[in-house]
Amino acid sequence: MNGKDSFKKCRICGKPIGVIEWGVYRKVTVDAEAVAVVPDPEGEDFVRIDGSKIRGREAEPGTIQTEYAYRQHRKTCGVD
Ligand SMILES: [Zn+2]
């Protein structure tokens, strides 16, 4: 998978995480599970597999016009 190396567990909270790398030195730690995102200018930032960002919110089941993206792990680390 381009840009996304092995899944591992967060050393702080133990949840599965992944690292998306883009550019040369840029990387972001994300939750391992992608979520379906609906674009929403008042939502939160999610990260695509290529490292670009999408602002949106998690889609309700059955919503069309979604795309899969990852939530930055620092937003969920340690949160149930
Ligand atoms: Zn964590």
Side-chain angles (χ1 to χ4, degrees):
M1 206 186 296
N2 185 27
K4 186 141 186 215
D5 58 19
S6 58
F7 288 110
K8 49 196 172 188
K9 288 195 172 174
C10 176
R11 277 182 294 181
I12 297 168
C13 69
K15 290 181 191 168
I17 55 173
V19 177
I20 293 174
E21 295 185 46
W22 76 101
V24 182
Y25 298 113
R26 293 173 176 272
K27 57 175 66 175
V28 58
T29 302
V30 296
D31 287 352
E33 288 287 319
V35 295
V37 175
V38 181
D40 182 345
E42 299 190 345
E44 58 180 300
D45 284 333
F46 291 84
V47 184
R48 295 188 183 94
I49 191 69
D50 66 359
S52 62
K53 286 189 178 166
I54 171 177
R55 178 156 285 229
R57 58 188 161 76
E58 207 165 332
E60 305 284 335
T63 307
I64 56 172
Q65 294 200 331
T66 63
E67 65 175 292
Y68 281 91
Y70 296 86
R71 183 176 272 125
Q72 292 180 53
H73 181 65
R74 62 181 169 79
K75 294 181 181 174
T76 65
C77 188
V79 179
D80 279 327

